[in-house]
Amino acid sequence: MLKQIQTAVALIYPPRCLGCGGLVESDFGLCGSCWRETPFIGGTICDGCGLPVLGANDGFRLECDDCMAHPRVWSRGRAALLYRDQARALILALKHGDRIDIAKPAAAWMVRASAALLDDAPLIAPVPLHWTRLLKRRYNQSALLARELARQTGLEYCVDMLQRRRRTASLDGKTRAQRFAALGDAISANTRHRLLMQGRVILLVDDVMTSGATLTACSDACLQGGAADVRVVTLARVTKQ
């Protein structure tokens, strides 16, 4: 009976491509054209942020130019996509277009990208939004991704592990220095969860990494709150053209 109902639903509401809305074979999928336009990260990658790097993996830690020039507070980082083409369109749809359906497949891509970060049963926590921005947007896209990541991996998840104590201006278009200056001490560990954080490995989740200023502020807050280690995974990584 259930199979018949599912078949009927599929006939009425056939699966659509996440990108263009065209017909696809399964839910939460991409058509061939959109798949080709979605730049998944693979091959040799930077251990600090997940950016693709030249050369072969020789078993030693590899870092991109940005991570070598600006050592990260967190220990390891990964990203599923490059922030361009169809990936950028999907993230903007998730972030500003109420396309919360994108969170489930996006988290699956992040699970694959972050496989090397999941040892030691890390506690998953999203990058927080200030309450005024959350009220306006109605949801935190990073929290949606973190929740799905936790559901798909079976790892523990804390939605308000971190708090954004003051509202900061949009970081879009700002230089690296301006981004770091704008954040300052805006993010802190939630005192209600300090015991939960003590001695734990924290896996921070965000939608996009640009300079790393936000993830640095979050990592600092976790370490100051008693975390033993911080790792990061983002849906996408901005690259220099």
Side-chain angles (χ1 to χ4, degrees):
M1 182 65 177
L2 178 60
K3 187 175 182 179
Q4 292 174 331
I5 293 174
Q6 291 173 334
T7 301
V9 170
L11 289 172
I12 300 172
Y13 303 105
R16 298 281 180 175
C17 171
L18 288 170
C20 66
L23 294 176
V24 291
E25 293 184 359
S26 60
D27 289 326
F28 309 112
L30 292 168
C31 68
S33 178
C34 287
W35 182 271
R36 289 190 294 273
E37 291 296 314
T38 304
F40 289 90
I41 294 176
T44 307
I45 58 174
C46 170
D47 284 311
C49 68
L51 195 68
V53 293
L54 296 176
N57 192 338
D58 57 4
F60 293 93
R61 182 179 177 88
L62 295 172
E63 291 187 344
C64 65
D65 291 343
D66 277 353
C67 288
M68 286 191 291
H70 307 284
R72 307 302 182 182
V73 177
W74 60 86
S75 62
R76 290 183 286 168
R78 294 291 186 272
L81 308 167
L82 297 177
Y83 188 66
R84 57 177 172 79
D85 304 329
Q86 188 61 44
R88 182 176 183 274
L90 289 171
I91 291 169
L92 290 177
L94 169 64
K95 191 171 185 175
H96 301 296
D98 291 335
R99 289 288 309 279
I100 61 175
D101 58 303
I102 293 172
K104 182 176 181 179
W109 303 335
M110 295 170 74
V111 169
R112 289 195 292 270
S114 64
L117 310 184
L118 303 182
D119 54 316
D120 303 318
L123 173 62
I124 295 177
V127 167
L129 280 180
H130 189 264
W131 69 268
T132 56
R133 190 156 288 153
L134 182 61
L135 189 64
K136 180 179 180 180
R137 192 177 295 172
R138 293 177 288 110
Y139 61 89
N140 176 0
Q141 72 280 357
S142 297
L144 295 179
L145 292 169
R147 183 180 64 188
E148 271 297 327
L149 190 65
R151 189 187 67 78
Q152 294 179 28
T153 59
L155 294 169
E156 190 174 3
Y157 161 67
C158 184
V159 66
D160 59 345
M161 175 64 67
L162 299 173
Q163 295 177 315
R164 197 175 285 254
R165 298 188 296 185
R166 61 178 174 81
R167 180 167 181 169
T168 55
S170 172
L171 300 181
D172 292 343
K174 293 187 181 297
T175 65
R176 178 186 180 85
Q178 289 171 332
R179 286 170 177 265
F180 276 83
L183 283 162
D185 61 350
I187 298 172
S188 64
N190 189 335
T191 55
R192 294 194 297 116
H193 300 306
R194 283 197 178 263
L195 287 178
L196 182 62
M197 187 184 293
Q198 294 301 308
R200 295 287 298 274
V201 175
I202 307 298
L203 180 62
L204 290 174
V205 176
D206 204 2
D207 55 347
V208 180
M209 176 182 168
T210 304
S211 67
T214 302
L215 288 166
T216 294
C218 290
S219 298
D220 279 336
C222 288
L223 293 171
Q224 291 169 12
D229 184 33
V230 180
R231 303 163 189 170
V232 305
V233 58
T234 60
L235 178 54
R237 176 73 165 96
V238 174
T239 60
K240 296 178 181 179
Q241 298 300 319

